[in-house]
Each structure stands twice: as C-alpha cells, then as structure tokens.
mmCIF file of all heavy atoms in Angstrom:
data_model
loop_
_atom_site.group_PDB
_atom_site.id
_atom_site.type_symbol
_atom_site.label_atom_id
_atom_site.label_comp_id
_atom_site.label_asym_id
_atom_site.label_seq_id
_atom_site.Cartn_x
_atom_site.Cartn_y
_atom_site.Cartn_z
ATOM 1 N N PHE A 1 5.262 -20.646 7.897
ATOM 2 C CA PHE A 1 6.008 -19.417 8.029
ATOM 3 C C PHE A 1 6.682 -19.048 6.763
ATOM 4 O O PHE A 1 6.777 -17.826 6.442
ATOM 5 C CB PHE A 1 7.030 -19.611 9.229
ATOM 6 C CG PHE A 1 6.409 -19.544 10.535
ATOM 7 C CD1 PHE A 1 6.102 -20.664 11.264
ATOM 8 C CD2 PHE A 1 6.055 -18.289 11.064
ATOM 9 C CE1 PHE A 1 5.500 -20.549 12.531
ATOM 10 C CE2 PHE A 1 5.516 -18.164 12.329
ATOM 11 C CZ PHE A 1 5.168 -19.272 13.065
ATOM 12 N N GLU A 2 7.167 -19.976 5.963
ATOM 13 C CA GLU A 2 7.837 -19.653 4.707
ATOM 14 C C GLU A 2 6.839 -18.869 3.760
ATOM 15 O O GLU A 2 7.158 -17.831 3.198
ATOM 16 C CB GLU A 2 8.316 -20.909 4.034
ATOM 17 C CG GLU A 2 9.560 -21.510 4.588
ATOM 18 C CD GLU A 2 9.864 -22.874 4.082
ATOM 19 O OE1 GLU A 2 9.203 -23.297 3.081
ATOM 20 O OE2 GLU A 2 10.710 -23.555 4.650
ATOM 21 N N ALA A 3 5.592 -19.451 3.593
ATOM 22 C CA ALA A 3 4.624 -18.892 2.764
ATOM 23 C C ALA A 3 4.089 -17.608 3.324
ATOM 24 O O ALA A 3 3.928 -16.593 2.563
ATOM 25 C CB ALA A 3 3.488 -19.862 2.619
ATOM 26 N N GLY A 4 3.893 -17.548 4.651
ATOM 27 C CA GLY A 4 3.333 -16.340 5.242
ATOM 28 C C GLY A 4 4.325 -15.126 5.112
ATOM 29 O O GLY A 4 3.891 -14.049 4.762
ATOM 30 N N PHE A 5 5.578 -15.376 5.324
ATOM 31 C CA PHE A 5 6.598 -14.341 5.304
ATOM 32 C C PHE A 5 6.774 -13.887 3.813
ATOM 33 O O PHE A 5 7.027 -12.718 3.498
ATOM 34 C CB PHE A 5 7.893 -14.760 5.933
ATOM 35 C CG PHE A 5 7.850 -14.762 7.442
ATOM 36 C CD1 PHE A 5 6.656 -14.522 8.110
ATOM 37 C CD2 PHE A 5 8.960 -15.033 8.210
ATOM 38 C CE1 PHE A 5 6.623 -14.518 9.484
ATOM 39 C CE2 PHE A 5 8.962 -15.035 9.542
ATOM 40 C CZ PHE A 5 7.752 -14.774 10.234
ATOM 41 N N ALA A 6 6.720 -14.907 2.929
ATOM 42 C CA ALA A 6 6.863 -14.608 1.505
ATOM 43 C C ALA A 6 5.708 -13.713 1.027
ATOM 44 O O ALA A 6 5.931 -12.716 0.299
ATOM 45 C CB ALA A 6 6.895 -15.880 0.674
ATOM 46 N N PHE A 7 4.495 -13.919 1.518
ATOM 47 C CA PHE A 7 3.390 -13.214 1.140
ATOM 48 C C PHE A 7 3.530 -11.725 1.623
ATOM 49 O O PHE A 7 3.258 -10.815 0.865
ATOM 50 C CB PHE A 7 2.063 -13.763 1.695
ATOM 51 C CG PHE A 7 0.789 -13.023 1.309
ATOM 52 C CD1 PHE A 7 0.116 -13.343 0.178
ATOM 53 C CD2 PHE A 7 0.391 -11.962 2.122
ATOM 54 C CE1 PHE A 7 -0.981 -12.528 -0.239
ATOM 55 C CE2 PHE A 7 -0.749 -11.159 1.735
ATOM 56 C CZ PHE A 7 -1.434 -11.493 0.564
ATOM 57 N N ILE A 8 3.970 -11.616 2.825
ATOM 58 C CA ILE A 8 4.197 -10.239 3.413
ATOM 59 C C ILE A 8 5.185 -9.474 2.560
ATOM 60 O O ILE A 8 4.954 -8.336 2.229
ATOM 61 C CB ILE A 8 4.617 -10.356 4.876
ATOM 62 C CG1 ILE A 8 3.456 -10.837 5.754
ATOM 63 C CG2 ILE A 8 5.148 -9.009 5.366
ATOM 64 C CD1 ILE A 8 3.835 -11.211 7.142
ATOM 65 N N GLU A 9 6.329 -10.092 2.202
ATOM 66 C CA GLU A 9 7.371 -9.406 1.483
ATOM 67 C C GLU A 9 6.919 -9.104 0.018
ATOM 68 O O GLU A 9 7.271 -8.058 -0.463
ATOM 69 C CB GLU A 9 8.678 -10.190 1.510
ATOM 70 C CG GLU A 9 9.285 -10.181 2.897
ATOM 71 C CD GLU A 9 10.645 -10.807 2.941
ATOM 72 O OE1 GLU A 9 11.024 -11.572 1.936
ATOM 73 O OE2 GLU A 9 11.423 -10.637 3.894
ATOM 74 N N GLN A 10 6.097 -9.948 -0.529
ATOM 75 C CA GLN A 10 5.579 -9.795 -1.901
ATOM 76 C C GLN A 10 4.469 -8.762 -1.955
ATOM 77 O O GLN A 10 4.190 -8.203 -3.070
ATOM 78 C CB GLN A 10 5.178 -11.068 -2.514
ATOM 79 C CG GLN A 10 6.318 -12.071 -2.767
ATOM 80 C CD GLN A 10 5.805 -13.474 -3.087
ATOM 81 O OE1 GLN A 10 4.647 -13.693 -3.442
ATOM 82 N NE2 GLN A 10 6.713 -14.445 -2.845
ATOM 83 N N HIS A 11 3.791 -8.563 -0.869
ATOM 84 C CA HIS A 11 2.638 -7.617 -0.781
ATOM 85 C C HIS A 11 2.813 -6.687 0.319
ATOM 86 O O HIS A 11 1.931 -6.555 1.235
ATOM 87 C CB HIS A 11 1.341 -8.428 -0.617
ATOM 88 C CG HIS A 11 1.115 -9.438 -1.754
ATOM 89 N ND1 HIS A 11 1.596 -10.675 -1.679
ATOM 90 C CD2 HIS A 11 0.427 -9.311 -2.905
ATOM 91 C CE1 HIS A 11 1.222 -11.409 -2.817
ATOM 92 N NE2 HIS A 11 0.510 -10.567 -3.484
ATOM 93 N N ILE A 12 3.913 -5.977 0.335
ATOM 94 C CA ILE A 12 4.250 -5.183 1.470
ATOM 95 C C ILE A 12 3.283 -4.015 1.839
ATOM 96 O O ILE A 12 2.909 -3.718 2.987
ATOM 97 C CB ILE A 12 5.675 -4.628 1.424
ATOM 98 C CG1 ILE A 12 6.232 -4.208 2.802
ATOM 99 C CG2 ILE A 12 5.846 -3.537 0.367
ATOM 100 C CD1 ILE A 12 6.370 -5.306 3.830
ATOM 101 N N THR A 13 2.714 -3.418 0.801
ATOM 102 C CA THR A 13 1.701 -2.303 0.994
ATOM 103 C C THR A 13 0.493 -2.911 1.656
ATOM 104 O O THR A 13 -0.005 -2.322 2.636
ATOM 105 C CB THR A 13 1.363 -1.676 -0.324
ATOM 106 O OG1 THR A 13 2.493 -1.095 -0.883
ATOM 107 C CG2 THR A 13 0.317 -0.643 -0.161
ATOM 108 N N LEU A 14 0.021 -3.976 1.147
ATOM 109 C CA LEU A 14 -1.158 -4.685 1.690
ATOM 110 C C LEU A 14 -0.916 -5.069 3.178
ATOM 111 O O LEU A 14 -1.759 -4.844 4.069
ATOM 112 C CB LEU A 14 -1.501 -5.883 0.807
ATOM 113 C CG LEU A 14 -2.713 -6.734 1.171
ATOM 114 C CD1 LEU A 14 -3.303 -7.288 -0.095
ATOM 115 C CD2 LEU A 14 -2.362 -7.820 2.168
ATOM 116 N N ALA A 15 0.277 -5.662 3.412
ATOM 117 C CA ALA A 15 0.673 -6.042 4.772
ATOM 118 C C ALA A 15 0.738 -4.901 5.759
ATOM 119 O O ALA A 15 0.248 -5.007 6.900
ATOM 120 C CB ALA A 15 2.024 -6.788 4.738
ATOM 121 N N LYS A 16 1.325 -3.811 5.285
ATOM 122 C CA LYS A 16 1.414 -2.620 6.142
ATOM 123 C C LYS A 16 -0.013 -2.196 6.584
ATOM 124 O O LYS A 16 -0.234 -1.781 7.744
ATOM 125 C CB LYS A 16 2.116 -1.476 5.485
ATOM 126 C CG LYS A 16 3.642 -1.659 5.451
ATOM 127 C CD LYS A 16 4.248 -0.412 4.671
ATOM 128 C CE LYS A 16 5.754 -0.615 4.629
ATOM 129 N NZ LYS A 16 6.376 0.555 3.891
ATOM 130 N N ALA A 17 -0.917 -2.182 5.581
ATOM 131 C CA ALA A 17 -2.332 -1.711 5.904
ATOM 132 C C ALA A 17 -3.013 -2.692 6.851
ATOM 133 O O ALA A 17 -3.701 -2.258 7.789
ATOM 134 C CB ALA A 17 -3.107 -1.606 4.627
ATOM 135 N N ILE A 18 -2.715 -4.012 6.725
ATOM 136 C CA ILE A 18 -3.277 -4.964 7.628
ATOM 137 C C ILE A 18 -2.736 -4.761 9.082
ATOM 138 O O ILE A 18 -3.503 -4.657 10.025
ATOM 139 C CB ILE A 18 -2.947 -6.398 7.180
ATOM 140 C CG1 ILE A 18 -3.787 -6.734 5.961
ATOM 141 C CG2 ILE A 18 -3.295 -7.421 8.277
ATOM 142 C CD1 ILE A 18 -3.433 -8.044 5.303
ATOM 143 N N PHE A 19 -1.445 -4.597 9.171
ATOM 144 C CA PHE A 19 -0.816 -4.376 10.543
ATOM 145 C C PHE A 19 -1.262 -3.041 11.148
ATOM 146 O O PHE A 19 -1.467 -2.958 12.356
ATOM 147 C CB PHE A 19 0.697 -4.559 10.411
ATOM 148 C CG PHE A 19 1.112 -5.947 10.100
ATOM 149 C CD1 PHE A 19 1.948 -6.200 9.042
ATOM 150 C CD2 PHE A 19 0.706 -7.011 10.925
ATOM 151 C CE1 PHE A 19 2.343 -7.501 8.744
ATOM 152 C CE2 PHE A 19 1.075 -8.363 10.599
ATOM 153 C CZ PHE A 19 1.888 -8.594 9.496
ATOM 154 N N ASN A 20 -1.365 -2.032 10.349
ATOM 155 C CA ASN A 20 -1.914 -0.743 10.841
ATOM 156 C C ASN A 20 -3.267 -0.915 11.434
ATOM 157 O O ASN A 20 -3.614 -0.375 12.492
ATOM 158 C CB ASN A 20 -1.984 0.322 9.714
ATOM 159 C CG ASN A 20 -0.652 0.973 9.413
ATOM 160 O OD1 ASN A 20 0.318 0.816 10.113
ATOM 161 N ND2 ASN A 20 -0.607 1.709 8.323
ATOM 162 N N THR A 21 -4.083 -1.744 10.730
ATOM 163 C CA THR A 21 -5.430 -2.001 11.240
ATOM 164 C C THR A 21 -5.441 -2.820 12.572
ATOM 165 O O THR A 21 -6.233 -2.526 13.472
ATOM 166 C CB THR A 21 -6.228 -2.676 10.166
ATOM 167 O OG1 THR A 21 -6.209 -1.933 8.976
ATOM 168 C CG2 THR A 21 -7.698 -2.813 10.541
ATOM 169 N N LEU A 22 -4.603 -3.835 12.580
ATOM 170 C CA LEU A 22 -4.560 -4.688 13.739
ATOM 171 C C LEU A 22 -4.109 -3.930 15.009
ATOM 172 O O LEU A 22 -4.510 -4.152 16.058
ATOM 173 C CB LEU A 22 -3.558 -5.818 13.516
ATOM 174 C CG LEU A 22 -4.031 -7.058 12.749
ATOM 175 C CD1 LEU A 22 -2.884 -7.983 12.447
ATOM 176 C CD2 LEU A 22 -5.103 -7.789 13.568
ATOM 177 N N ASN A 23 -3.173 -2.945 14.720
ATOM 178 C CA ASN A 23 -2.614 -2.126 15.773
ATOM 179 C C ASN A 23 -3.345 -0.825 16.064
ATOM 180 O O ASN A 23 -3.003 -0.076 16.909
ATOM 181 C CB ASN A 23 -1.138 -1.840 15.611
ATOM 182 C CG ASN A 23 -0.310 -3.169 15.615
ATOM 183 O OD1 ASN A 23 -0.532 -4.036 16.445
ATOM 184 N ND2 ASN A 23 0.563 -3.248 14.618
ATOM 185 N N GLY A 24 -4.434 -0.616 15.241
ATOM 186 C CA GLY A 24 -5.176 0.605 15.393
ATOM 187 C C GLY A 24 -6.203 0.584 16.498
ATOM 188 O O GLY A 24 -6.398 -0.475 17.153
ATOM 189 N N PRO A 25 -6.988 1.675 16.637
ATOM 190 C CA PRO A 25 -7.929 1.716 17.791
ATOM 191 C C PRO A 25 -9.348 1.170 17.446
ATOM 192 O O PRO A 25 -10.120 1.018 18.377
ATOM 193 C CB PRO A 25 -8.078 3.224 18.041
ATOM 194 C CG PRO A 25 -7.844 3.802 16.681
ATOM 195 C CD PRO A 25 -6.796 2.918 16.010
ATOM 196 N N ASP A 26 -9.598 0.889 16.188
ATOM 197 C CA ASP A 26 -10.980 0.495 15.819
ATOM 198 C C ASP A 26 -11.298 -0.980 16.130
ATOM 199 O O ASP A 26 -10.794 -1.846 15.400
ATOM 200 C CB ASP A 26 -11.218 0.817 14.360
ATOM 201 C CG ASP A 26 -12.696 0.800 13.993
ATOM 202 O OD1 ASP A 26 -13.384 -0.229 14.168
ATOM 203 O OD2 ASP A 26 -13.161 1.838 13.492
ATOM 204 N N GLU A 27 -12.084 -1.255 17.102
ATOM 205 C CA GLU A 27 -12.363 -2.617 17.549
ATOM 206 C C GLU A 27 -13.167 -3.413 16.468
ATOM 207 O O GLU A 27 -13.000 -4.617 16.330
ATOM 208 C CB GLU A 27 -13.098 -2.623 18.893
ATOM 209 C CG GLU A 27 -12.298 -2.110 20.043
ATOM 210 C CD GLU A 27 -11.034 -2.980 20.293
ATOM 211 O OE1 GLU A 27 -11.051 -4.190 20.062
ATOM 212 O OE2 GLU A 27 -10.022 -2.344 20.672
ATOM 213 N N GLU A 28 -14.026 -2.710 15.739
ATOM 214 C CA GLU A 28 -14.829 -3.345 14.747
ATOM 215 C C GLU A 28 -13.981 -3.911 13.619
ATOM 216 O O GLU A 28 -14.180 -5.021 13.071
ATOM 217 C CB GLU A 28 -15.876 -2.333 14.157
ATOM 218 C CG GLU A 28 -17.003 -3.090 13.418
ATOM 219 C CD GLU A 28 -18.082 -2.130 13.020
ATOM 220 O OE1 GLU A 28 -17.926 -0.889 13.122
ATOM 221 O OE2 GLU A 28 -19.177 -2.631 12.532
ATOM 222 N N PHE A 29 -12.925 -3.156 13.209
ATOM 223 C CA PHE A 29 -12.005 -3.546 12.174
ATOM 224 C C PHE A 29 -11.188 -4.749 12.683
ATOM 225 O O PHE A 29 -10.963 -5.726 11.936
ATOM 226 C CB PHE A 29 -11.090 -2.434 11.758
ATOM 227 C CG PHE A 29 -11.709 -1.348 11.029
ATOM 228 C CD1 PHE A 29 -11.218 0.001 10.996
ATOM 229 C CD2 PHE A 29 -12.960 -1.519 10.279
ATOM 230 C CE1 PHE A 29 -11.815 1.001 10.281
ATOM 231 C CE2 PHE A 29 -13.582 -0.471 9.620
ATOM 232 C CZ PHE A 29 -13.013 0.811 9.608
ATOM 233 N N LYS A 30 -10.772 -4.669 13.884
ATOM 234 C CA LYS A 30 -9.981 -5.772 14.504
ATOM 235 C C LYS A 30 -10.800 -7.113 14.516
ATOM 236 O O LYS A 30 -10.300 -8.159 14.213
ATOM 237 C CB LYS A 30 -9.544 -5.447 15.908
ATOM 238 C CG LYS A 30 -8.453 -4.337 15.963
ATOM 239 C CD LYS A 30 -8.066 -4.073 17.411
ATOM 240 C CE LYS A 30 -7.086 -2.950 17.535
ATOM 241 N NZ LYS A 30 -6.693 -2.636 18.929
ATOM 242 N N LEU A 31 -12.068 -6.957 14.866
ATOM 243 C CA LEU A 31 -12.985 -8.125 14.940
ATOM 244 C C LEU A 31 -13.156 -8.708 13.508
ATOM 245 O O LEU A 31 -13.122 -9.960 13.351
ATOM 246 C CB LEU A 31 -14.300 -7.745 15.554
ATOM 247 C CG LEU A 31 -15.375 -8.863 15.525
ATOM 248 C CD1 LEU A 31 -14.894 -10.058 16.415
ATOM 249 C CD2 LEU A 31 -16.718 -8.326 16.079
ATOM 250 N N LYS A 32 -13.304 -7.821 12.532
ATOM 251 C CA LYS A 32 -13.433 -8.278 11.152
ATOM 252 C C LYS A 32 -12.165 -9.049 10.754
ATOM 253 O O LYS A 32 -12.294 -10.063 10.078
ATOM 254 C CB LYS A 32 -13.685 -7.087 10.274
ATOM 255 C CG LYS A 32 -13.803 -7.373 8.793
ATOM 256 C CD LYS A 32 -15.116 -8.136 8.528
ATOM 257 C CE LYS A 32 -15.377 -8.244 6.981
ATOM 258 N NZ LYS A 32 -16.565 -9.059 6.689
ATOM 259 N N LEU A 33 -11.031 -8.510 11.045
ATOM 260 C CA LEU A 33 -9.738 -9.181 10.757
ATOM 261 C C LEU A 33 -9.636 -10.560 11.441
ATOM 262 O O LEU A 33 -9.295 -11.561 10.834
ATOM 263 C CB LEU A 33 -8.545 -8.325 11.121
ATOM 264 C CG LEU A 33 -8.093 -7.295 10.079
ATOM 265 C CD1 LEU A 33 -7.130 -6.401 10.652
ATOM 266 C CD2 LEU A 33 -7.497 -8.025 8.898
#
C-alpha cells in the first residue's frame, strides 16, 4: 500500500487516466487492464 499510493501520487495524471478507464464503459479496455 505504501508503494502503490506513492506511485499514484507521483504519477497522478497517469493514475487518473487508469481510473477513468477502469470506471468507463469500454469492456475491452477493462479486460486489458
């Protein structure tokens, strides 16, 4: 959790894009993730 949360805070733009994808409607992208 320490490393994971540190990565998110250090790469916030990348993290936002990942979470947008996870919460988005595209099932193919979710499967890829």
Side-chain angles (χ1 to χ4, degrees):
F1 282 100
E2 288 169 10
F5 287 3
F7 182 90
I8 290 169
E9 290 187 344
Q10 291 167 21
H11 302 86
I12 197 66
T13 298
L14 183 150
K16 283 180 182 178
I18 289 173
F19 291 125
N20 279 350
T21 305
L22 278 172
N23 296 316
D26 195 301
E27 294 300 325
E28 196 175 10
F29 292 155
K30 290 180 184 179
L31 177 60
K32 180 71 173 176
L33 273 170

